Amino acid sequence: MKELYLNGAFMPPDEARISVMDRGFLFGDGVYEVIPSYGGRFLGLEPHLDRLDASLAALRLANPLARETWRSVLQRLIGTPPAPDQYVYLQITRGAPPERDHLCPESTEPTVMALARPIKPRAPTVAERGVTCITRPDIRWLRGEIKSISLVASVMMRREAADAGALETIMHRDGQVTEGAVSNVFVVTGDELATPPKGHLLLPGITRELALLLARDHGIRFLEHPIPLETLRGADEVWLSSSTREILPVTRLDDRPVGTGLPGPLWRRIDALYQDYKARVREGHV
Ligand code: PDD
């Protein structure tokens, strides 16, 4: 990484310093975004920045940068086309007041940080064999729509998945699927595609929204409605979606095959549509 952005300046990563009093460090009091780019062009920049605004508003934080400034800061971090495929990670915390107190003086300057990292290309085995997931109760708080940096529950869930040799943990609350630790979930039963509805229980994923848009534009019927855990277990196909992992076919769930145990036909269709969309982003056509 050549440089990152911190509080108004670009600098080499090893020159970047923040205070131990930073509320991100002490309280997890902040929000973040992860935005993918292909060939130097962002996929979904505006919806990601809209969701950032919503997360900040929920924490009663003003956005420290104007939209135009965000665009130019983030573009500088990824470089100009044709640049390598990268995602930007950006984070805003409530800043570093002098005292550790849950209440924070309103005058505190937020801490703003952003950096770019390479996107790892998808392994060919994903399309051939799919990925493995486990299920666990959703132990997180009830404001899942906020992209908060307080992620200890997700860290625990991902660890449990890794320990079980799985990629992701799909969570459920009161018998209904919510989302993955770091992804949204889709289920195919027969010719019906479904995903849990937006609300306080899950993050409104930008990839989820794009998948639904592509489905709608190509005549794939879908429903946004609650998905009982048994429906997930009995599904023909299960998918995960996230900005850095795109749309993934889940072929094993809690050590049992999903459907035929291979990536399904509807996943192949949505993945082809998604790859096509990405190619158009790369060429500057969307
Ligand atoms: N995570 N749900 C959760 C809990 C997530 O953390 C994420 C993304 C998603 C998918 O959202 P999107 O399609 O906008 O990436 C859903 C990011 C990638 C992360 O924390 O690294």
Side-chain angles (χ1 to χ4, degrees), residues 32 34 48 51 140 147 179-184 203 205-208 241-244:
Y32 75 108
V34 177
H48 276 280
R51 186 173 66 188
R140 303 170 308 161
K147 203 157 172 62
E179 61 180 333
V182 289
S183 57
N184 291 113
L203 189 77
I206 307 304
T207 321
R208 171 191 180 281
S241 70
S242 95
S243 294
T244 44

PDB file of all heavy atoms in Angstrom, residues 32 34 48 51 140 147 179-184 203 205-208 241-244, ligand 1:
ATOM      1  N   TYR A  32     -18.347   2.148   8.930  1.00  0.00           N
ATOM      2  CA  TYR A  32     -17.395   1.896   7.846  1.00  0.00           C
ATOM      3  C   TYR A  32     -18.131   1.527   6.572  1.00  0.00           C
ATOM      4  O   TYR A  32     -19.341   1.300   6.582  1.00  0.00           O
ATOM      5  CB  TYR A  32     -16.410   0.807   8.248  1.00  0.00           C
ATOM      6  CG  TYR A  32     -16.951  -0.609   8.245  1.00  0.00           C
ATOM      7  CD1 TYR A  32     -16.563  -1.517   7.260  1.00  0.00           C
ATOM      8  CD2 TYR A  32     -17.842  -1.046   9.222  1.00  0.00           C
ATOM      9  CE1 TYR A  32     -17.043  -2.824   7.246  1.00  0.00           C
ATOM     10  CE2 TYR A  32     -18.326  -2.345   9.210  1.00  0.00           C
ATOM     11  CZ  TYR A  32     -17.922  -3.231   8.225  1.00  0.00           C
ATOM     12  OH  TYR A  32     -18.406  -4.512   8.208  1.00  0.00           O
ATOM     13  N   VAL A  34     -17.152  -0.735   2.697  1.00  0.00           N
ATOM     14  CA  VAL A  34     -16.206  -1.481   1.845  1.00  0.00           C
ATOM     15  C   VAL A  34     -16.758  -1.380   0.429  1.00  0.00           C
ATOM     16  O   VAL A  34     -17.867  -1.847   0.165  1.00  0.00           O
ATOM     17  CB  VAL A  34     -16.111  -2.957   2.284  1.00  0.00           C
ATOM     18  CG1 VAL A  34     -15.184  -3.731   1.349  1.00  0.00           C
ATOM     19  CG2 VAL A  34     -15.634  -3.071   3.731  1.00  0.00           C
ATOM     20  N   HIS A  48     -23.189   2.985  -1.871  1.00  0.00           N
ATOM     21  CA  HIS A  48     -22.349   2.793  -0.676  1.00  0.00           C
ATOM     22  C   HIS A  48     -22.266   4.090   0.117  1.00  0.00           C
ATOM     23  O   HIS A  48     -22.341   4.077   1.351  1.00  0.00           O
ATOM     24  CB  HIS A  48     -20.945   2.325  -1.075  1.00  0.00           C
ATOM     25  CG  HIS A  48     -20.832   0.848  -1.289  1.00  0.00           C
ATOM     26  ND1 HIS A  48     -20.713  -0.064  -0.270  1.00  0.00           N
ATOM     27  CD2 HIS A  48     -20.842   0.115  -2.429  1.00  0.00           C
ATOM     28  CE1 HIS A  48     -20.630  -1.284  -0.761  1.00  0.00           C
ATOM     29  NE2 HIS A  48     -20.713  -1.203  -2.074  1.00  0.00           N
ATOM     30  N   ARG A  51     -25.489   4.637   1.918  1.00  0.00           N
ATOM     31  CA  ARG A  51     -25.593   3.808   3.133  1.00  0.00           C
ATOM     32  C   ARG A  51     -24.699   4.361   4.237  1.00  0.00           C
ATOM     33  O   ARG A  51     -25.069   4.337   5.416  1.00  0.00           O
ATOM     34  CB  ARG A  51     -25.229   2.355   2.818  1.00  0.00           C
ATOM     35  CG  ARG A  51     -25.449   1.418   3.992  1.00  0.00           C
ATOM     36  CD  ARG A  51     -25.247  -0.040   3.616  1.00  0.00           C
ATOM     37  NE  ARG A  51     -23.871  -0.310   3.259  1.00  0.00           N
ATOM     38  CZ  ARG A  51     -23.447  -1.468   2.746  1.00  0.00           C
ATOM     39  NH1 ARG A  51     -24.295  -2.457   2.541  1.00  0.00           N
ATOM     40  NH2 ARG A  51     -22.175  -1.641   2.449  1.00  0.00           N
ATOM     41  N   ARG A 140     -26.001 -11.039  17.537  1.00  0.00           N
ATOM     42  CA  ARG A 140     -25.630  -9.624  17.422  1.00  0.00           C
ATOM     43  C   ARG A 140     -26.728  -8.713  17.966  1.00  0.00           C
ATOM     44  O   ARG A 140     -27.804  -9.154  18.319  1.00  0.00           O
ATOM     45  CB  ARG A 140     -25.356  -9.297  15.960  1.00  0.00           C
ATOM     46  CG  ARG A 140     -24.278 -10.182  15.345  1.00  0.00           C
ATOM     47  CD  ARG A 140     -24.221  -9.984  13.859  1.00  0.00           C
ATOM     48  NE  ARG A 140     -25.533 -10.148  13.268  1.00  0.00           N
ATOM     49  CZ  ARG A 140     -25.889  -9.690  12.073  1.00  0.00           C
ATOM     50  NH1 ARG A 140     -25.022  -9.046  11.346  1.00  0.00           N
ATOM     51  NH2 ARG A 140     -27.108  -9.883  11.615  1.00  0.00           N
ATOM     52  N   LYS A 147     -23.913   0.021   9.510  1.00  0.00           N
ATOM     53  CA  LYS A 147     -22.625  -0.618   9.231  1.00  0.00           C
ATOM     54  C   LYS A 147     -21.607  -0.149  10.274  1.00  0.00           C
ATOM     55  O   LYS A 147     -20.724   0.670  10.004  1.00  0.00           O
ATOM     56  CB  LYS A 147     -22.164  -0.343   7.794  1.00  0.00           C
ATOM     57  CG  LYS A 147     -21.186  -1.398   7.294  1.00  0.00           C
ATOM     58  CD  LYS A 147     -21.153  -1.472   5.794  1.00  0.00           C
ATOM     59  CE  LYS A 147     -20.061  -2.365   5.246  1.00  0.00           C
ATOM     60  NZ  LYS A 147     -20.135  -3.783   5.623  1.00  0.00           N
ATOM     61  N   GLU A 179     -28.786 -13.129   8.155  1.00  0.00           N
ATOM     62  CA  GLU A 179     -27.762 -12.917   7.120  1.00  0.00           C
ATOM     63  C   GLU A 179     -26.512 -13.683   7.516  1.00  0.00           C
ATOM     64  O   GLU A 179     -26.480 -14.336   8.555  1.00  0.00           O
ATOM     65  CB  GLU A 179     -27.467 -11.425   6.954  1.00  0.00           C
ATOM     66  CG  GLU A 179     -26.929 -10.761   8.203  1.00  0.00           C
ATOM     67  CD  GLU A 179     -26.631  -9.277   8.049  1.00  0.00           C
ATOM     68  OE1 GLU A 179     -26.346  -8.826   6.926  1.00  0.00           O
ATOM     69  OE2 GLU A 179     -26.668  -8.568   9.072  1.00  0.00           O
ATOM     70  N   GLY A 180     -25.468 -13.584   6.676  1.00  0.00           N
ATOM     71  CA  GLY A 180     -24.183 -14.155   7.035  1.00  0.00           C
ATOM     72  C   GLY A 180     -23.433 -13.190   7.942  1.00  0.00           C
ATOM     73  O   GLY A 180     -23.818 -12.024   8.084  1.00  0.00           O
ATOM     74  N   ALA A 181     -22.337 -13.666   8.556  1.00  0.00           N
ATOM     75  CA  ALA A 181     -21.536 -12.784   9.426  1.00  0.00           C
ATOM     76  C   ALA A 181     -21.025 -11.580   8.638  1.00  0.00           C
ATOM     77  O   ALA A 181     -20.934 -10.476   9.177  1.00  0.00           O
ATOM     78  CB  ALA A 181     -20.375 -13.558  10.027  1.00  0.00           C
ATOM     79  N   VAL A 182     -20.698 -11.781   7.355  1.00  0.00           N
ATOM     80  CA  VAL A 182     -20.204 -10.667   6.521  1.00  0.00           C
ATOM     81  C   VAL A 182     -20.857 -10.672   5.131  1.00  0.00           C
ATOM     82  O   VAL A 182     -20.244 -10.253   4.154  1.00  0.00           O
ATOM     83  CB  VAL A 182     -18.661 -10.693   6.373  1.00  0.00           C
ATOM     84  CG1 VAL A 182     -17.980 -10.316   7.663  1.00  0.00           C
ATOM     85  CG2 VAL A 182     -18.156 -12.054   5.904  1.00  0.00           C
ATOM     86  N   SER A 183     -22.096 -11.166   5.048  1.00  0.00           N
ATOM     87  CA  SER A 183     -22.742 -11.290   3.731  1.00  0.00           C
ATOM     88  C   SER A 183     -24.259 -11.385   3.900  1.00  0.00           C
ATOM     89  O   SER A 183     -24.747 -11.662   4.996  1.00  0.00           O
ATOM     90  CB  SER A 183     -22.236 -12.546   3.020  1.00  0.00           C
ATOM     91  OG  SER A 183     -22.476 -13.688   3.826  1.00  0.00           O
ATOM     92  N   ASN A 184     -24.984 -11.166   2.818  1.00  0.00           N
ATOM     93  CA  ASN A 184     -26.430 -11.420   2.804  1.00  0.00           C
ATOM     94  C   ASN A 184     -26.685 -12.811   2.236  1.00  0.00           C
ATOM     95  O   ASN A 184     -25.816 -13.402   1.605  1.00  0.00           O
ATOM     96  CB  ASN A 184     -27.153 -10.363   1.969  1.00  0.00           C
ATOM     97  CG  ASN A 184     -27.120  -8.993   2.632  1.00  0.00           C
ATOM     98  OD1 ASN A 184     -26.487  -8.071   2.134  1.00  0.00           O
ATOM     99  ND2 ASN A 184     -27.784  -8.862   3.757  1.00  0.00           N
ATOM    100  N   LEU A 203     -27.949  -6.043   7.374  1.00  0.00           N
ATOM    101  CA  LEU A 203     -27.381  -4.946   6.602  1.00  0.00           C
ATOM    102  C   LEU A 203     -28.019  -4.935   5.208  1.00  0.00           C
ATOM    103  O   LEU A 203     -28.092  -5.984   4.568  1.00  0.00           O
ATOM    104  CB  LEU A 203     -25.870  -5.132   6.476  1.00  0.00           C
ATOM    105  CG  LEU A 203     -25.140  -3.930   5.880  1.00  0.00           C
ATOM    106  CD1 LEU A 203     -24.993  -2.831   6.932  1.00  0.00           C
ATOM    107  CD2 LEU A 203     -23.776  -4.323   5.357  1.00  0.00           C
ATOM    108  N   GLY A 205     -27.424  -4.914   2.019  1.00  0.00           N
ATOM    109  CA  GLY A 205     -26.221  -5.081   1.194  1.00  0.00           C
ATOM    110  C   GLY A 205     -26.389  -4.445  -0.176  1.00  0.00           C
ATOM    111  O   GLY A 205     -27.443  -4.555  -0.798  1.00  0.00           O
ATOM    112  N   ILE A 206     -25.334  -3.826  -0.645  1.00  0.00           N
ATOM    113  CA  ILE A 206     -25.355  -3.215  -1.981  1.00  0.00           C
ATOM    114  C   ILE A 206     -25.342  -4.323  -3.039  1.00  0.00           C
ATOM    115  O   ILE A 206     -25.986  -4.209  -4.082  1.00  0.00           O
ATOM    116  CB  ILE A 206     -24.148  -2.258  -2.150  1.00  0.00           C
ATOM    117  CG1 ILE A 206     -24.087  -1.229  -1.001  1.00  0.00           C
ATOM    118  CG2 ILE A 206     -24.201  -1.562  -3.513  1.00  0.00           C
ATOM    119  CD1 ILE A 206     -25.331  -0.390  -0.789  1.00  0.00           C
ATOM    120  N   THR A 207     -24.634  -5.419  -2.760  1.00  0.00           N
ATOM    121  CA  THR A 207     -24.611  -6.552  -3.696  1.00  0.00           C
ATOM    122  C   THR A 207     -25.978  -7.242  -3.709  1.00  0.00           C
ATOM    123  O   THR A 207     -26.441  -7.687  -4.766  1.00  0.00           O
ATOM    124  CB  THR A 207     -23.515  -7.559  -3.279  1.00  0.00           C
ATOM    125  OG1 THR A 207     -22.385  -6.821  -2.824  1.00  0.00           O
ATOM    126  CG2 THR A 207     -23.105  -8.447  -4.440  1.00  0.00           C
ATOM    127  N   ARG A 208     -26.620  -7.333  -2.551  1.00  0.00           N
ATOM    128  CA  ARG A 208     -27.985  -7.879  -2.467  1.00  0.00           C
ATOM    129  C   ARG A 208     -28.910  -7.092  -3.384  1.00  0.00           C
ATOM    130  O   ARG A 208     -29.656  -7.653  -4.176  1.00  0.00           O
ATOM    131  CB  ARG A 208     -28.448  -7.788  -1.001  1.00  0.00           C
ATOM    132  CG  ARG A 208     -29.920  -8.117  -0.750  1.00  0.00           C
ATOM    133  CD  ARG A 208     -30.294  -7.711   0.682  1.00  0.00           C
ATOM    134  NE  ARG A 208     -31.684  -7.986   0.997  1.00  0.00           N
ATOM    135  CZ  ARG A 208     -32.700  -7.235   0.615  1.00  0.00           C
ATOM    136  NH1 ARG A 208     -32.513  -6.155  -0.136  1.00  0.00           N
ATOM    137  NH2 ARG A 208     -33.934  -7.548   0.958  1.00  0.00           N
ATOM    138  N   SER A 241     -24.004 -13.044  -0.681  1.00  0.00           N
ATOM    139  CA  SER A 241     -23.574 -11.897  -1.483  1.00  0.00           C
ATOM    140  C   SER A 241     -22.821 -10.899  -0.619  1.00  0.00           C
ATOM    141  O   SER A 241     -23.193 -10.647   0.530  1.00  0.00           O
ATOM    142  CB  SER A 241     -24.784 -11.201  -2.141  1.00  0.00           C
ATOM    143  OG  SER A 241     -25.563 -10.537  -1.172  1.00  0.00           O
ATOM    144  N   SER A 242     -21.745 -10.374  -1.185  1.00  0.00           N
ATOM    145  CA  SER A 242     -21.050  -9.247  -0.548  1.00  0.00           C
ATOM    146  C   SER A 242     -20.160  -8.568  -1.579  1.00  0.00           C
ATOM    147  O   SER A 242     -19.807  -9.172  -2.598  1.00  0.00           O
ATOM    148  CB  SER A 242     -20.221  -9.694   0.661  1.00  0.00           C
ATOM    149  OG  SER A 242     -18.885  -9.919   0.296  1.00  0.00           O
ATOM    150  N   SER A 243     -19.803  -7.325  -1.291  1.00  0.00           N
ATOM    151  CA  SER A 243     -19.048  -6.509  -2.244  1.00  0.00           C
ATOM    152  C   SER A 243     -17.717  -7.129  -2.627  1.00  0.00           C
ATOM    153  O   SER A 243     -17.279  -6.993  -3.760  1.00  0.00           O
ATOM    154  CB  SER A 243     -18.774  -5.129  -1.647  1.00  0.00           C
ATOM    155  OG  SER A 243     -19.987  -4.452  -1.501  1.00  0.00           O
ATOM    156  N   THR A 244     -17.051  -7.777  -1.678  1.00  0.00           N
ATOM    157  CA  THR A 244     -15.727  -8.306  -1.992  1.00  0.00           C
ATOM    158  C   THR A 244     -15.798  -9.748  -2.486  1.00  0.00           C
ATOM    159  O   THR A 244     -14.894 -10.209  -3.172  1.00  0.00           O
ATOM    160  CB  THR A 244     -14.793  -8.234  -0.772  1.00  0.00           C
ATOM    161  OG1 THR A 244     -15.526  -8.671   0.372  1.00  0.00           O
ATOM    162  CG2 THR A 244     -14.298  -6.821  -0.543  1.00  0.00           C
TER     163      THR A 244
HETATM  164  N1  PDD B   1     -19.350  -6.883   4.686  1.00  0.00           N
HETATM  165  N2  PDD B   1     -24.100  -8.241   5.868  1.00  0.00           N
HETATM  166  C1  PDD B   1     -23.037  -7.998   6.642  1.00  0.00           C
HETATM  167  C2  PDD B   1     -23.156  -8.223   8.108  1.00  0.00           C
HETATM  168  C3  PDD B   1     -21.836  -7.526   6.072  1.00  0.00           C
HETATM  169  O1  PDD B   1     -20.786  -7.263   6.849  1.00  0.00           O
HETATM  170  C4  PDD B   1     -21.769  -7.339   4.666  1.00  0.00           C
HETATM  171  C5  PDD B   1     -20.540  -6.818   3.978  1.00  0.00           C
HETATM  172  C6  PDD B   1     -22.909  -7.620   3.892  1.00  0.00           C
HETATM  173  C7  PDD B   1     -22.926  -7.409   2.397  1.00  0.00           C
HETATM  174  O2  PDD B   1     -23.019  -6.047   2.085  1.00  0.00           O
HETATM  175  P1  PDD B   1     -22.429  -5.459   0.729  1.00  0.00           P
HETATM  176  O3  PDD B   1     -23.060  -6.243  -0.370  1.00  0.00           O
HETATM  177  O4  PDD B   1     -22.847  -4.038   0.732  1.00  0.00           O
HETATM  178  O5  PDD B   1     -20.929  -5.658   0.760  1.00  0.00           O
HETATM  179  C8  PDD B   1     -24.053  -8.053   4.528  1.00  0.00           C
HETATM  180  C9  PDD B   1     -18.175  -6.231   4.205  1.00  0.00           C
HETATM  181  C10 PDD B   1     -17.749  -6.630   2.838  1.00  0.00           C
HETATM  182  C11 PDD B   1     -17.096  -6.349   5.267  1.00  0.00           C
HETATM  183  O6  PDD B   1     -17.446  -6.202   6.436  1.00  0.00           O
HETATM  184  O7  PDD B   1     -15.924  -6.568   4.941  1.00  0.00           O
END
